[in-house]
Amino acid sequence: MTLPKLRLSALLVAAATILAVPQMALAQANTCRWANDNECDEARYAGTGACESGTDANDCRAEAAAWQRLMAAVPDTVRAQLGSDTCRWANDLECDDPNFGGTGACSPGTDASDCRAMAIGGDNTCRFANDNECDEPGIGTGVCTSGTDVNDCRAVSFLRNRSNSCQTAFNGTCEEPGTGRGTCRPNTDTADCVGRQRPVEARDHFFGNDDRELVDVTQMPWRAVGLLSLGDGSCTGILIGPRLVATAAHCMEGEGGQPSKALSFRAGARGDTDLGSASIISSVVAPDYTENSAPPGGGNGNDWAILTLDRDLGTQVGFVRPYVLTKTDLAEIRTGRFLVSQAGYSWDTGSNLSGHVDCQVLQAYNDGSFIHTCDTTRGDSGSPIMILRDGEWRLIAVDSQFFDAQPPFPQMSSSHLAVDTRAFAEALRSAGALD
């Protein structure tokens, strides 16, 4: 997805203990290539994020002073609880201190700068505040620090810093501390504790209701789905043969347009366990892939990749054979009754596999792609969309990206596009994955 604002998170570098050092120590040098261009580029001061912390001193002098004033305005008792920025996730714009409604990824008192606004009840100090778009992490575009875009994020604030990463999420029972068995960490059992209704403003693509469930990774076809670890992050993939994995081409693109190094594939991953893992030794990416998106139906069938493992993992855990849509299938799609199922490692479920059973393909395009109603979100890139044919699960597409709502479906808050096997049938045949 292309956002209208510069995404800062990939460029953040943790700065040490902002609360504990004087102003002059914060602005250290002008060694960034963008230094002295009259624009602050350090993310810690809500700059563009193009420079690492401490390398754009002159341009960020005013922002550093403003940040000091914001910190000084925090009541002394609250400031003492905020502590320092010693957590590994400090200065990533997302509050991770559980004492201030954060994600819980940091220990209390170690994510001060990211949690400043949350600690005082929120404000509108982000440079993008009051632009009618929520820009906080998790619930918006992610270019504002947690709690600094309160007005724009009001409708979705109940989801701030929440996830479904508990291993018993989606079981219908709230198990966060203070309720039920209390076996989930705070803010990690959202669907069960807050409910499944999702306003359109949440931008997390659940079409008004989160219909996902935590699937059983010991059973087919879910056991063939796996977590793909890359040099620049992670995606979802699926075993389509003894040594072959299908995923999205954009998963293989790293920062700056450079190829991302594919490291490993963990089939049936759940938490720290899995049913088997293997290293990635080679990949075939759509030769005409480009990060530039066309309108739906305008040429997006190139977001696919086929990876080769170093051993026969598919023989061990099972695999899902690809299936190419026929004219009969395309006709059925037009009737509005073509049901499929999807599963992926969503951003909010971490290394737990969530799935949406019996979602619908809305419209198939001639470029080898279709839009669907499966509840996919960040992290689901490359996740399989499957169908039962003659009692066997078959792969028909890998999830790709999302767009604004497309006609004739105005009821959809957004349009989710997947690349189906029509687009890469020849590559599948060459790899021996298609009859």
Side-chain angles (χ1 to χ4, degrees), residues 144-166:
C144 291
T145 303
S146 293
T148 64
D149 194 19
V150 169
N151 289 347
D152 292 333
C153 296
R154 195 174 307 281
V156 293
S157 61
F158 69 99
L159 294 171
R160 184 184 282 122
N161 297 324
R162 278 194 154 274
S163 74
N164 287 287
S165 57
C166 182

Side-chain angles (χ1 to χ4, degrees), residues 116-132:
R116 176 202 62 82
M118 297 285 289
I120 61 172
D123 57 30
N124 291 285
T125 55
C126 177
R127 62 187 294 198
F128 299 117
N130 298 310
D131 66 352
N132 297 317

